[in-house]
Amino acid sequence: MQKRVIVTGVAGFVGSNLAKHLLDRGYSVVGIDNLSAGTLENVDPRVDFNKLDIRDPDIYPLVQGADAVFHLAAMSCLTDCIARPLEAAGVNTVGTLNVLEAARRANVGKFVYADTSAEYGGVDKYPTPEDEVLPVGVYAASKHGGAAFCESYRELYGLNLTTARYFNVYGPAQDWRRVLPPVMSAFILRMLRGERPIIYGTGEKRRDFIYVDDVNDFHLTLLEDPRSNGRVFNVGTGVNFSVNEIYQLIEEVLQTALEPIYKPDLPGEAQVTLADITAARELGWQPKVDIHEGLRRSIQYIRERVLQAVENSDV
Ligand SMILES: NC(=O)c1ccc[n+]([C@@H]2O[C@H](COP(=O)([O-])OP(=O)(O)OC[C@H]3O[C@@H](n4cnc5c(N)ncnc54)[C@H](O)[C@@H]3O)[C@@H](O)[C@H]2O)c1
């Protein structure tokens, strides 16, 4: 029988791509999202979509009978989290608790939590292994709260839980509508529109960027390989690039001659992220899309799918 998988945050960047991966693999997908950040146009029509808040007990009946839950819904914009910390904790910590409770009541066979490399904000060991976290900042602390409840549900209720700790994910459907969009989308979009990209700080912060399809290949591994049960995995590439280097790589493709504008640094961001992906590799997974190919695909998507929408919405 077709396995039924719940994806929270299904209208968002990673969740919408994950749903397509699962559907293409033959799973049926029940999606939950309150559309606070995601959009319906991201959602594959094959998804059984439910506009619900993860904090709402109405999610319980949906989770009944599900084989697995991927919990991705979150307040994921750092600036929103800083502006509204109580809401960030409400969604990312208490909302996660409610999804865990739904999974416990439904006796779900597998639960995957989308954690973040922001958990390593105060750790300065590179490449960073999974075993030590020191979250700094509201977003990191609120995701850490969710992760802590995951751990207690694993320990106390025997929930079969796996944590995927993503580094900087990029690719199609990345949210360009934010006031401060993620760096890839922001640069590509501005440069395609003939505008100079904006770099906050010196541009020397380094990030481990991972293409979204690689993340979702790994999600399938987590679902199908029982060796992942009860464990935490970094999901990155083990290679990092500075923001200035990303600008250069995009400029090499687009040839705009637009120089970046440097603005004051944003608070609460780590100088360096770099994943130790030994554990993920041991499951037989490895990232396949390198930065050149990933940027090429991202540029193509923004050119074909986003530019017109931006013109229409007059962003
Ligand atoms: N994108 C990255 O680089 C990255 C890195 C590390 C971790 N993560 C984690 O991965 C997950 C997905 O991130 P993303 O980049 O796709 O973010 P996103 O903002 O694109 O997607 C999050 C989705 O959750 C939904 N949502 C927010 N609050 C909700 C609520 N109360 N009830 C129901 N739905 C709600 C939003 O509408 C949105 O569609 C998040 O948990 C995030 O913390 C992302």
Side-chain angles (χ1 to χ4, degrees):
M1 207 177 84
Q2 206 182 24
K3 288 200 169 168
R4 188 158 160 269
V5 178
I6 307 283
V7 177
T8 73
V10 76
F13 164 44
V14 184
S16 61
N17 281 291
L18 171 61
K20 290 190 183 87
H21 258 63
L22 289 164
L23 290 159
D24 291 347
R25 184 84 153 205
Y27 293 96
S28 75
V29 175
V30 177
I32 296 173
D33 201 300
N34 68 354
L35 301 179
S36 56
T39 64
L40 264 185
E41 71 209 43
N42 281 344
V43 182
D44 190 291
R46 294 170 292 172
V47 171
D48 169 6
F49 179 76
N50 298 270
K51 183 170 184 284
L52 277 175
D53 195 297
I54 52 164
R55 293 165 289 184
D56 193 330
D58 283 354
I59 65 169
Y60 296 175
L62 283 177
V63 180
Q64 283 297 333
D67 295 285
V69 173
F70 283 91
H71 174 43
L72 279 72
M75 196 164 149
S76 65
C77 176
L78 264 63
T79 41
D80 286 351
C81 289
I82 291 171
R84 307 196 301 276
L86 287 175
E87 189 184 340
V91 174
N92 296 350
T93 304
V94 182
T96 295
L97 175 57
N98 198 43
V99 181
L100 286 164
E101 183 55 20
R104 180 179 78 89
R105 290 178 185 211
N107 207 8
V108 163
K110 178 97 185 184
F111 191 105
V112 177
Y113 177 61
D115 203 3
T116 166
S117 61
E119 290 262 31
Y120 302 126
V123 179
D124 52 8
K125 182 173 173 190
Y126 309 110
T128 312
E130 287 90 350
D131 50 7
E132 195 187 330
V133 296
L134 195 52
V136 185
V138 175
Y139 169 69
S142 64
K143 292 290 294 185
H144 183 70
F149 275 117
C150 285
E151 189 48 31
S152 58
Y153 267 62
R154 190 186 67 74
E155 189 72 33
L156 288 176
Y157 304 115
L159 187 66
N160 181 14
L161 197 128
T162 301
T163 296
R165 202 170 278 153
Y166 322 154
F167 282 63
N168 278 60
V169 191
Y170 72 103
Q174 196 177 39
D175 188 3
W176 50 269
R177 292 173 182 82
R178 290 181 188 173
V179 181
L180 287 179
V183 65
M184 304 284 197
S185 301
F187 287 5
I188 296 170
L189 194 52
R190 284 185 70 90
M191 289 163 79
L192 281 174
R193 301 183 79 201
E195 295 165 354
R196 293 169 66 189
I198 297 166
I199 291 179
Y200 296 91
T202 63
E204 287 309 307
K205 281 182 191 158
R206 301 189 74 80
R207 291 285 174 271
D208 186 329
F209 292 100
I210 174 111
Y211 191 71
V212 66
D213 286 357
D214 282 328
V215 174
N216 286 324
D217 281 349
F218 189 60
H219 277 141
L220 291 182
T221 303
L222 295 182
L223 187 56
E224 292 168 2
D225 188 338
R227 289 177 301 169
S228 68
N229 294 349
R231 298 177 60 195
V232 180
F233 294 90
N234 283 339
V235 192
T237 59
V239 179
N240 63 13
F241 294 88
S242 73
V243 175
N244 286 324
E245 285 167 346
I246 293 298
Y247 157 75
Q248 282 299 341
L249 288 169
I250 298 171
E251 174 58 11
E252 275 166 30
V253 180
L254 296 183
Q255 303 274 320
T256 63
L258 292 161
E259 293 289 333
I261 301 169
Y262 288 89
K263 289 200 173 175
D265 208 351
L266 298 172
E269 287 191 337
Q271 282 304 314
V272 177
T273 68
L274 186 65
D276 179 336
I277 54 170
T278 310
R281 279 185 191 279
E282 280 168 5
L283 296 183
W285 168 88
Q286 59 175 4
K288 295 194 195 98
V289 182
D290 74 5
I291 196 85
H292 300 281
E293 177 60 16
L295 282 175
R296 192 192 64 71
R297 293 188 201 175
S298 303
I299 290 169
Q300 187 182 352
Y301 176 86
I302 291 181
R303 215 178 228 138
E304 289 172 2
R305 301 279 300 277
V306 178
L307 266 184
Q308 191 59 47
V310 177
E311 304 294 333
N312 294 343
S313 68
D314 207 17
V315 169

